Structure formats: C-alpha cells, structure tokens
Amino acid sequence: MVKSLYLIRHAEAVSAFNSSSDYSRNLTDEGIIASSQLGAKIKSSGFVPDLILSSPATRARQTIENIVQAASFTVSITFDEDIYEASVGTMLKKVNQISSDIRNVIIVGHNPTISFFAEYLTNDLIGNVSPGQLVKINFGADYWNMVSKGSGYLKD
C-alpha cells in the first residue's frame, strides 16, 4: 500500500523584526491567502489526510488551520512541539512512529528542516521550499517505520 506524505512549509509570516518572538509570528495577508489557496488545491486533488501533524508555532498553526478550512477536512490536527525547530532526525522519528494503518499524512513545519527532510527522504535536489509550498512524497512501504533515507519518491 502506497503511503503519501505532504510536507508543507508554513505560509509567509511577518518579519521577526515585527513580532515579539519567532514562535508567535503571524501570517501576512499574503500568507493567509496562499494557505487557503493551497487548501483548495489539495481538496481538488482528491487527497484526504488520515493524520495531520503541525508545529504549534503561530504561523504553522494558522497555515494548517487555513488549509483544513479551505479543504473541508474533518481530521483533527495534532500540534507537536517537537516539530518546531526539529532536526531531520527528529522528523524521521516522528514519521517512523506513525501507525501502519495511516496512509496519508500532512506535516507542517519550518525551514530549513522541511527542505532538508524532503531531500533526505527522496535523494532529490529540491532546494529551498518556499513559504506555503508543499512537497508530496510517496513511499512503497507498508509501514511508516520502513521510511528511511532515499526510500521515498518525489511526486509533486
């Protein structure tokens, strides 16, 4: 059974200079629009997640909430503190812990980790994932704990 992972970098946020802390940075107006448009695009693709994991930082939270609203997903969001400032190793551990009955997953996080993790999983040169962009990766594995370096293939 194919497993699908959508890695999403949070949408455009206000500058760190305009916020009291990095953690509490809000989305810009453009970020709000872009994340809603991304949700509509995901909905039109027919993709429905079984699990959503997100950094709890304000900009990531707002991004996934806009996506969920625009896509009309009914799945709940798990906000995981470990995703904020996560390393590639931490992200891999999170993916490897996903139950095998889960097929489709969205993870919303931050750069550079989202970009590095996508490259790690696919062995593809992806470069910088821009704010509000997603990377879709498929795996031929039956179990998430089989996901490892280079085991995925870039789908979108």
Side-chain angles (χ1 to χ4, degrees):
M1 175 186 348
V2 173
K3 306 283 190 191
S4 294
L5 176 64
Y6 276 39
L7 295 176
I8 301 174
R9 181 178 175 192
H10 65 78
E12 182 181 271
V14 297
S15 168
F17 297 113
N18 296 332
S19 184
S20 59
S21 74
D22 180 65
Y23 193 87
S24 63
R25 290 170 47 209
N26 287 305
L27 293 182
T28 62
D29 291 342
E30 293 82 8
I32 293 168
I33 292 167
S35 56
S36 294
Q37 289 173 338
L38 181 57
K41 181 179 177 182
I42 292 170
K43 181 178 183 176
S44 71
S45 77
F47 176 84
V48 178
D50 301 309
L51 176 67
I52 300 174
L53 301 173
S54 177
S55 161
T58 302
R59 60 195 180 277
R61 180 182 292 270
Q62 291 171 339
T63 297
I64 193 57
E65 288 171 349
N66 289 336
I67 290 169
V68 165
Q69 182 177 6
S72 304
F73 293 145
T74 57
V75 64
S76 63
I77 305 164
T78 300
F79 294 101
D80 187 331
E81 194 68 46
D82 291 340
I83 296 173
Y84 180 71
E85 298 186 330
S87 66
V88 168
T90 297
M91 293 292 277
L92 181 61
K93 184 177 177 182
K94 293 292 174 190
V95 168
N96 287 161
Q97 292 173 343
I98 296 170
S99 174
S100 61
D101 61 325
I102 301 291
R103 186 169 166 220
N104 300 310
V105 179
I106 291 175
I107 299 178
V108 180
H110 309 271
N111 253 5
T113 304
I114 290 294
S115 297
F116 291 161
F117 191 45
E119 289 183 346
Y120 176 85
L121 293 174
T122 63
N123 282 335
D124 286 320
L125 182 60
I126 294 169
N128 184 46
V129 176
S130 298
Q133 281 192 323
L134 70 82
V135 177
K136 181 180 180 187
I137 302 169
N138 284 347
F139 302 92
D142 289 330
Y143 304 97
W144 288 102
N145 65 4
M146 296 173 69
V147 169
S148 61
K149 182 172 177 31
S151 66
Y153 56 96
L154 189 61
K155 194 66 181 154
D156 215 356

